[in-house]
C-alpha cells in the first residue's frame, strides 16, 4: 500500500521534470518528508484551463488533498480511507472508475515508507506473548535517485453546505494507485534486510516510468478496457532500492530530511 511518503522536490524542479506549463506560486508547498493521508500534496495533471479560449489540455502543477472524495459522496468523512486504489479493480469500483477514465494524475515523491514486522516479533505476537509487535520502517525509492512518479487519480467534490463563492465550496482530492509488490531482487538491497519489495509488503505504489507519463495524463485517453489498463502494468523489476530508517517516521508530527537517513542496521528489536 502507500500510507506515507516523502516529497521534498520544489515546484521549480517539478516544472522542469514534468514539462509543467501552469502553476500558481501561491500554491507552493513546503518540502514534506512525512506526507500522511488528508495532507495537501502536489500533483501533475493535464486539464484545460478555466475560461481559456482554447480547450486544449494544459499540463499543470496543482495542490490537492490526499484522500479521494467521490463526487457523489454526501460528506468527505471517508477521505482518509480512500488514499489508495488497487490497480486490479480501479476500473470497476464506483468510487474510482470515473476518475480513472477521466481524471488521472501523477503524484511526485522521493519515495515511500513501509513498515516490516520482524520475524521474532511476529511470532511473539501470534503466540499472544506480545500485544503489539515493533515494526521497522523502510524507505523505498528509485535506485538511481530519480523522482518516484506515483500513478494517481483525482476527483472534485462540492460541499453543498457552503455558498458557491466560498473558497472551500469545491474540494479537489486524489488517491494513489497501488499494485502487487515486486518479488524479484531489489536494485539495491539493505544488508541483512529484505531482498525484494514483496518481503516488505505485498503492495506498493504503481510507479510510472517517464515513457508512460504523457499517455497516463492524456484526458482524451478514456479506453478503460484497453490502453489505460495496459498502463497499469508494473514497471520493470530491479529499479528500486530500500533501506531501514528511524522509527521516528512512525510519528506523523516528526518531519525533516533526517527521516530519510539510512540506518546501518535495523533498530534494536526490529531486525528483519
Amino acid at each position: 500500500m502507500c500510507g506515507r511518503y516523502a516529497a521534498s522536490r520544489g515546484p521549480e524542479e517539478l516544472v522542469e521534470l514534468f514539462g509543467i506549463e501552469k502553476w500558481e506560486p501561491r500554491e507552493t508547498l513546503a518540502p514534506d518528508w512525512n506526507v500522511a493521508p488528508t495532507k495537501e500534496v502536489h500533483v501533475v495533471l493535464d486539464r484545460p484551463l478555466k475560461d481559456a479560449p482554447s480547450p486544449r489540455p494544459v499540463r499543470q502543477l496543482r495542490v490537492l488533498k490526499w484522500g479521494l472524495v467521490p463526487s457523489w459522496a454526501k460528506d468527505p468523512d471517508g477521505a482518509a480511507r480512500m488514499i489508495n486504489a488497487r490497480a486490479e479493480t480501479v476500473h470497476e469500483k464506483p468510487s474510482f472508475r470515473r476518475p480513472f477514465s477521466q481524471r488521472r494524475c501523477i503524484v511526485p515523491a522521493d519515495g515511500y515508507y513501509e513498515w516490516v514486522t520482524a520475524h521474532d516479533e511476529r511470532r511473539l505476537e501470534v503466540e499472544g506473548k506480545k500485544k503489539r509487535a515493533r515494526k521497522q520502517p523502510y524507505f523505498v525509492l528509485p535506485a538511481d535517485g530519480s523522482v518516484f512518479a506515483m500513478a494517481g487519480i483525482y476527483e472534485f467534490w462540492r460541499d453543498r453546505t457552503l455558498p458557491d463563492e466560498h473558497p472551500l465550496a469545491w474540494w479537489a482530492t486524489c488517491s494513489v494507485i497501488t499494485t502487487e509488490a515486486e518479488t524479484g531482487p531489489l536494485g539495491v538491497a539493505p544488508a541483512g534486510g529484505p531482498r525484494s519489495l514483496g518481503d516488505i509488503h505485498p503492495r506498493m505504489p504503481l510507479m510510472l516510468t517517464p515513457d508512460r507519463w504523457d499517455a497516463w495524463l492524456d484526458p482524451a485517453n478514456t479506453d478503460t478496457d484497453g490502453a489505460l489498463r495496459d498502463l497499469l502494468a508494473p514497471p520493470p523489476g530491479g529499479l528500486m532500492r530500500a533501506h531501514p530508517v528511524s522509527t521516528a517516521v512512525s510519528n506523523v508530527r516528526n518531519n525533516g530530511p533526517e527521516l530519510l537517513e539510512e540506518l546501518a542496521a535495523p533498530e534494536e528489536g526490529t531486525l528483519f
Side-chain angles (χ1 to χ4, degrees), residues 100-171:
F100 174 58
S101 171
Q102 303 174 9
R103 287 182 279 278
R104 296 174 303 280
C105 62
I106 290 174
V107 184
D110 303 327
Y112 70 99
Y113 299 101
E114 197 55 82
W115 282 256
V116 177
T117 303
H119 175 75
D120 289 344
E121 293 270 315
R122 187 182 298 113
R123 177 178 54 80
L124 291 173
E125 187 178 32
V126 170
E127 294 175 355
K129 297 179 181 178
K130 196 164 190 177
K131 290 185 178 180
R132 189 173 182 181
R134 290 190 63 188
K135 295 185 177 183
Q136 171 63 52
Y138 280 81
F139 187 61
V140 182
L141 69 161
D144 62 2
S146 60
V147 66
F148 195 126
M150 300 189 294
I153 53 177
Y154 68 98
E155 185 58 286
F156 296 102
W157 178 77
R158 175 70 166 87
D159 186 344
R160 298 297 176 185
T161 66
L162 299 175
D164 290 342
E165 64 275 11
H166 196 284
L168 299 179
W170 283 96
W171 288 39

Side-chain angles (χ1 to χ4, degrees), residues 175-227:
S175 183
V176 171
I177 294 178
T178 66
T179 187
E180 288 188 0
E182 297 175 6
T183 56
L186 286 161
V188 180
R195 311 309 296 172
S196 72
L197 293 180
D199 288 340
I200 299 174
H201 194 278
R203 306 290 297 178
M204 64 175 287
L206 176 63
M207 186 178 77
L208 296 171
T209 49
D211 59 301
R212 298 184 183 184
W213 292 355
D214 289 345
W216 178 256
L217 295 174
D218 185 1
N221 188 356
T222 60
D223 182 10
T224 58
D225 292 322

Side-chain angles (χ1 to χ4, degrees), residues 47-78:
R47 184 176 178 85
L49 294 176
K50 187 177 180 180
D51 302 324
S54 171
R56 78 172 182 87
V58 174
R59 184 152 302 177
Q60 305 173 49
L61 183 65
R62 299 284 294 272
V63 171
L64 276 61
K65 183 169 288 191
W66 186 22
L68 190 138
V69 180
S71 60
W72 43 262
K74 293 181 179 180
D75 57 59
D77 291 347

